[in-house]
Amino acid sequence: MAVTIRRIRTEDLFRVQHRNLTCLPENYQMKYYFYHILTWPQLSYVAEDTKGRIVGYVLAKMEDKQDEDDKDWQPHGHITSIAVMGSYRKLGLATKLMRQAQYSMVECYHAHYVSLHVRRSNRAALHLYSIALAFETYDIEEGYYADGEDAFAMKMILPKDPMEVFKHIDRSHVQIPE
């Protein structure tokens, strides 16, 4: 199964939205996808198979500074959404999509860290984020999702050198949060 990872393009958005609808319970209006790729065009990527199907994507953004007087604020990214088609899972595509977005966050925006939210019940995603990608849980947001499910708020410190994003980190000792 040959797959190419490339930067998302405007003409991909209907296929990305379709992938979102078929893989995830959280769905977005088309204007939200446009907002991401028009505002942060370097940060979102698709995985495309040889037939031109979008089999995965990552939608990412940079967080805005909320308080101009906040002297501790650091530029940081956020993973809005990531999905991989069921038959393409366990091939490392989610890791590759995430790493590419993280690389671009550091390269283009000098991001210090990246954050995301994950459903408390999504064990596969928790394993990916905690073990494969070295994210750490820093909070639980009660009732975060529309159906009332809690979310783990997670973040990963990013290296200063964007190429360091691609280095493997042994996290086999990490416990996945309950």
Side-chain angles (χ1 to χ4, degrees), residues 61-65 70-78 105-106 108-115 156-158:
K61 65 179 186 170
M62 293 300 294
E63 293 288 5
D64 295 326
K65 189 173 186 178
D70 184 357
K71 293 180 182 10
D72 295 326
W73 187 85
Q74 298 174 315
H76 59 279
H78 184 78
M105 288 174 186
V106 175
C108 301
Y109 296 99
H110 308 288
H112 290 245
Y113 66 92
V114 57
S115 63
M156 175 190 162
I157 304 301
L158 293 169

Side-chain angles (χ1 to χ4, degrees), residues 131-156:
I131 306 300
L133 294 169
F135 277 79
E136 295 188 6
T137 301
Y138 68 91
D139 197 9
I140 297 173
E141 296 192 28
E142 293 183 16
Y144 178 83
Y145 291 100
D147 63 3
E149 185 172 350
D150 297 346
F152 286 115
M154 303 182 85
K155 77 178 183 180
M156 175 190 162

Side-chain angles (χ1 to χ4, degrees), residues 84 158 166:
V84 174
L158 293 169
F166 296 105

